[in-house]
Amino acid sequence: MLQERTLQFRGINLDIPADDVPPDMWTYGENVFFRDLATQRVPGYEEYYRVVGDVPIFIYPVQRKTTSYWLIVLQRGADTLVISWDGATAATLHTYTATDGLTLDWTATDHNGVIILNNGASTPRFWNEAGGTMDVLPNWPANVTCRSIRSFKFHLFALGLSNVTADSDYEFMWSDASAPTGGVPQTWTAGPSTDAGNAQIASPQGFIRDAIQLRDALVILKDFSAHLVTYVGGNFVFSQRGLYISAGTINARCAVTVNDKLILATQDDIVITDGQSMESICTHEVRRHIFTRSLNPDAIRYCQMVKRHIYDEVWFCYPTESNEYCTEAAIYNTRTGEWLSL
């Protein structure tokens, strides 16, 4: 017996036999999507930034009062550059050497208006807009790197730590609080006069990959589990507890929040949770199409999830077959619960 929710899908539904598919559903589609009850071809694209020899590897949008920017990380020869681009003018903010910048594992966060970039191989840097540079975070611990960095309240969280002697992929640390008037935190050293600290999530198994804010808490995502961090103040500053012990994230950058809920790509599913209950938003065949037939398991580090507010859409982008970079996107409409494209 088919569930009523399945029959309410518009767009692509891979579960219903072709002979039973109603007129408002499709059994398959490539380079098409469905919006406002209409079928549309995926539009083309145009170049936004092009300099011969430059290879963009990461971008991050920045909105200011009068100007919109993109922070673009690009490879130029043996070096990696960070530039700001407003659609007309490019300004070089920092040049990494070949030893500390050539990586594709970039994350970025907006900390009360200050943009911070991290590549997992060197000290995170923040955009000093007044000086036109990317400066290292003040008093960052020597020889320490992190897999991801995220902002939560007035603190920065460094997740999945590594140093020159050992990896602590199940450890995270947080900074002292930054000033309410803005700027970045000034220390990462715990002490009587600071709120900085660190903690570990050793169990269940798996490395810390990322974190994302859900309402008034920070959800730390491991390979196979999720953990909730909340601010308590006092000597402990933050408390943590297990949220889910059987669902984590497939990679950093693979979770978004929509209407106070978290949509997350796990190792073999795409789920939605309000922090209490969790359910899959993939039908059986959609799940198999993405995770069994299409996704390149050797390139999951390049998977990512983004949301398009204007269309109420979440895009899960992933490399297919033997491709290293994202070549396909599964598009989910959060308002109607439909898969619009695969």
Side-chain angles (χ1 to χ4, degrees), residues 66-99:
T66 58
T67 307
S68 296
Y69 295 94
W70 289 93
L71 289 188
I72 304 177
V73 180
L74 55 89
Q75 186 179 347
R76 181 179 294 170
D79 295 329
T80 302
L81 280 67
V82 180
I83 68 169
S84 63
W85 173 253
D86 62 4
T89 303
T92 299
L93 306 177
H94 183 69
T95 300
Y96 290 88
T97 64
T99 57

Side-chain angles (χ1 to χ4, degrees), residues 120-133:
S122 59
T123 301
R125 291 177 176 268
F126 70 95
W127 186 13
N128 179 350
E129 292 189 53
T133 57

